Amino acid sequence: MTRMAGTARILAVWVLTRTVLLLCVFHVLTAPGPDVTSDVSVIYQGWYEVLRTGTFPLDDVTWQYPPAAALAILSPDLLPFLSYAAAFFVLCLLADAAVCGLLLYAGGRPGKSPRGAWFWVVGVALLGPIVYARYDVLVTAVAVAALLAGARHPRAMGALAGFGALLKVWPVLLLVGTPRGRSTRRSWTAAAATAAGVALTFLVAMPGALAFLTFQRDRGTEVESLGALVFHLARHLGWQGEVRLNYGSVEFLGPYVPLVSTVAQVLSAAAFGWLLVWRLRARARSASTLADAAFVAVLLFTTTSRVISPQYLLWLIGAAAVCLAFRTSRMELPARLVLVAAFVTFLEFPVWFSHVVASDPLGIALLLVRNGLLVAAALLGCRDLWRQTVSEPRAEERQSMPGQVSRAPSEDTYASAP
């Protein structure tokens, strides 16, 4: 009875908050700041008209997505009785509902917790209507399904992660925490086969499937990124650059921007190096290790990216929600920091985005807080993941009696898996 009451409360809050989000994207309620739905009604619908002709938008530098993103842009055809924008919003709502349902189902199983579902419901609400005005919620639904399938069905997880990577690249990071051995071989092979199959299909069927690689390479430093703080402050010291819409986002252009962009890429490479070292040195696992590692990986690459668009927080909310669905996860504090960062992101965009673009004290303060929270969450996540899988197991081995060898769990199992 208690479980049913808890589920009812989660669903009630979901219905209430999602009603508000729908009213916002349908312009019944007006959120402060710029209209977040213009990307759907203008940019997405423009791409949709091109994609329907059987080719990718080859002449549009704002098309910076892997080929399977075309499926997300074309998805409103599933609801032909609605306008393009309305159908898109409804499909995003359904993806949101699917994630909530998956987390509720997982939360009721042994060793799991409903706090993951609560986290998703609250996190999406705090991020605001941008969730239904970008296709990232569709990608996040695939990623959440992959992580929840991972412990018992490595091939299914790999296939979902591979497909997700062809939607928006970042779901490939979900594979970083797979157990070494047979589980890794199965999941990584399934991911590679799925990604290769989907990519080949698009390459054969539609010209320009790989055009996004060039467009992504030429991006600069977006005004909301960690590196952008350098230029927000430098503008008050006489820096001669400018803020301009470039490659589909508001970016800094001018002296030293390429240098800061390069530093961001170096930091991303360093993050990859740390994850590789962690994977090689991890000595023990729990039921949540796969999700914990995925959350930390997405945190690291989001924080060090040249672009931290508001919808990127949805990736973190989804990964963190899966972590919290496991009782063994230690990611509660980093997850809470992400939750606060989501609300600050809503304040930064759309509410006070004009202050961010102007680099005034309010705009700089919002970015310092939001990006500071992400950096803190990333560092704490790395620390907790390392302690649970590397440091503490090693300390236990040292305390073992002479002649005894403490062994980590088998490569194909999770120590606390239900």
Side-chain angles (χ1 to χ4, degrees), residues 181-243:
R182 185 167 54 184
S183 290
T184 288
R185 289 193 296 271
R186 288 177 174 177
S187 58
W188 289 21
T189 299
T194 302
V198 173
L200 183 61
T201 299
F202 277 103
L203 284 170
V204 171
M206 298 176 67
L210 300 181
F212 77 99
L213 294 172
T214 299
F215 300 153
Q216 274 285 358
R217 181 192 63 200
D218 294 334
R219 294 194 72 161
T221 295
E222 191 253 356
V223 294
E224 297 164 273
S225 66
L226 183 61
L229 285 167
V230 173
F231 300 111
H232 283 293
L233 296 172
R235 292 176 83 181
H236 294 274
L237 301 175
W239 180 69
Q240 298 300 310
E242 60 178 336
V243 175

Side-chain angles (χ1 to χ4, degrees), residues 260-281:
V260 171
S261 296
T262 300
V263 171
Q265 292 172 309
V266 170
L267 288 175
S268 293
F272 176 81
W274 185 90
L275 289 168
L276 178 60
V277 171
W278 167 79
R279 182 173 174 82
L280 294 174
R281 298 189 63 180

Side-chain angles (χ1 to χ4, degrees), residues 114-206:
R115 61 182 182 166
W118 270 118
F119 188 89
W120 174 259
V121 171
V122 175
V124 169
L126 291 177
L127 192 55
I130 189 91
V131 173
Y132 291 170
R134 302 292 187 272
Y135 81 89
D136 294 79
V137 68
L138 307 177
V139 186
T140 303
V142 174
V144 168
L147 285 176
L148 290 174
R152 295 177 178 272
H153 308 287
R155 287 195 181 97
M157 184 226 176
L160 288 167
F163 177 66
L166 265 290
L167 280 171
K168 206 165 186 181
V169 181
W170 69 267
V172 73
L173 297 171
L174 306 181
L175 299 170
V176 72
T178 55
R180 293 197 296 269
R182 185 167 54 184
S183 290
T184 288
R185 289 193 296 271
R186 288 177 174 177
S187 58
W188 289 21
T189 299
T194 302
V198 173
L200 183 61
T201 299
F202 277 103
L203 284 170
V204 171
M206 298 176 67

Side-chain angles (χ1 to χ4, degrees), residues 43-89:
I43 298 176
Y44 283 15
Q45 191 162 0
W47 290 339
Y48 167 80
E49 298 298 339
V50 175
L51 290 166
R52 289 183 68 190
T53 68
T55 184
F56 285 90
L58 299 176
D59 299 322
D60 188 347
V61 296
T62 62
W63 176 262
Q64 300 167 10
Y65 308 105
L71 300 177
I73 303 303
L74 292 169
S75 63
D77 271 347
L78 296 172
L79 303 174
F81 48 88
L82 295 175
S83 67
Y84 180 88
F88 187 88
F89 301 148

